[in-house]
Amino acid sequence: MKFTLAVPYDWRDVRLSFPVAAYALHDGVRLHVKVNPECIDYSDKVKMADAVVYCTEHGTRVRNLQQFNSMFLDIYEEFKIREFDCELVLQDYWTTCKALLDENDSLHELLENGAEWYLVDLPKLRAGFEIRQQTVERIVRQVYEWEYECMYSLSEYEKIRDVLGLHEYIASTLRRYPKVLFRECNSKYARGYTKHWAQATRMQTERAKLTFVSDEIVEDGSTYCSVQLESGKPLLQDVLVPEAFLKEFLDGYELFQDNPWIEFSYLEKNSRGKYRSPMFFRFVLW
């Protein structure tokens, strides 16, 4: 089985401080949920529309999950915690994404079969990972007592004490799950990749001709490029070039610009040929 890290990670120069906590992520959609106390006014429907806000990892607001507002409002009232890093699993990834972002009734049909919310982390809790996970467990137990039978925790993490153990855990876990996340046990919450945590994913790779490189460097230090998959087929746009690969990518582009071919990784491809999470891996000779 083949796996790759979501960002380059030099095993010979470990930047993580062991032990680390490692755990699997499900094949769902990551959502950032925020409660706005100033909008909690049950007599004002307009204000209540913003009492709980759901956004994707990239900041796109999802407006058709209001039926879960009461659960997050109850959590806020009990624990005074306003922000939640969650993973929502309805069916497969592609179906869940489409249902969340389309303004139609497809989501309601999926919800009839049950939704699973995994409370991954608590962004605003200023404590190490293990302490945050203890709070996550308390929240999940309380939610279950309230008879919201749709929220779970990721508490079944494993403490790994060295690089070899981490490699073995990743290889075995990715046979059953699409992603593994690992972080220092005392690390603070951070969005984006830091030296204190990383993510490994079960990836496939494909070769393609590089056709366009964006001049824009976004906030997290990454950029994008476009590639031509096969002659006569449309371009695949928005292939991510993460910050950690950026220097190698620009050096390679200068060297191979007369006939630039790259290998990119992706998590999966759907029946319509759409790639999930395409990311530059390396330049190749074709």
Side-chain angles (χ1 to χ4, degrees), residues 27 92-94 178 202-204 265-270 273-278:
D27 196 25
D92 63 274
Y93 173 83
W94 296 103
R202 187 175 60 216
M203 306 290 279
Q204 303 176 65
S265 61
Y266 60 95
L267 195 56
E268 64 177 328
K269 183 167 61 174
N270 69 6
K274 185 175 181 180
Y275 291 82
R276 176 179 172 188
S277 303

Side-chain angles (χ1 to χ4, degrees), residues 47-113:
K47 289 181 68 175
M48 283 299 291
D50 292 323
V52 183
V53 176
Y54 307 84
C55 291
T56 67
E57 283 186 291
H58 304 292
T60 303
R61 185 165 176 180
V62 179
R63 298 183 179 273
N64 47 10
L65 291 172
Q66 289 83 0
Q67 70 183 79
F68 298 105
N69 284 11
S70 59
M71 178 174 69
F72 287 103
L73 289 171
D74 285 345
I75 294 172
Y76 169 74
E77 291 295 338
E78 179 72 18
F79 295 93
K80 302 305 177 187
I81 293 176
R82 297 178 51 180
E83 295 189 32
F84 310 89
D85 181 351
C86 299
E87 189 176 27
L88 177 61
V89 178
L90 297 176
Q91 198 171 316
D92 63 274
Y93 173 83
W94 296 103
T95 304
T96 304
C97 267
K98 186 176 186 302
L100 288 176
L101 298 178
D102 286 354
E103 297 292 335
N104 55 35
D105 294 330
S106 60
L107 180 64
H108 298 293
E109 297 176 8
L110 289 174
L111 291 175
E112 289 179 0
N113 297 323

Side-chain angles (χ1 to χ4, degrees), residues 208-218 222-229 235-242 245-246 249-250 253 260-265 278-283:
K209 187 171 184 179
L210 183 64
T211 60
F212 171 79
V213 178
S214 173
D215 294 329
E216 180 184 2
I217 304 296
V218 298
S222 64
T223 189
Y224 291 87
C225 64
S226 299
V227 297
Q228 181 77 53
L229 295 172
L235 296 177
L236 171 61
Q237 298 178 333
D238 295 340
V239 176
L240 174 68
V241 183
F245 278 135
L246 191 57
F249 174 81
L250 295 176
Y253 183 57
W261 283 78
I262 68 168
E263 189 173 17
F264 67 94
S265 61
M279 184 177 70
F280 167 79
F281 183 56
R282 62 183 176 181
F283 279 89

Side-chain angles (χ1 to χ4, degrees), residues 150-168:
C150 63
M151 180 167 276
Y152 307 89
S153 70
L154 294 173
S155 60
E156 295 182 3
Y157 64 87
E158 187 167 328
K159 236 182 203 184
I160 310 294
R161 302 194 176 276
D162 54 43
V163 174
L164 180 59
L166 180 57
H167 189 280
E168 291 174 348

Side-chain angles (χ1 to χ4, degrees), residues 9 14-17 182-184 192-198:
Y9 187 85
V14 179
R15 291 171 289 174
L16 291 173
S17 296
F182 47 98
R183 63 175 75 232
E184 293 177 2
Y193 294 108
T194 75
K195 65 179 181 179
H196 301 294
W197 75 278

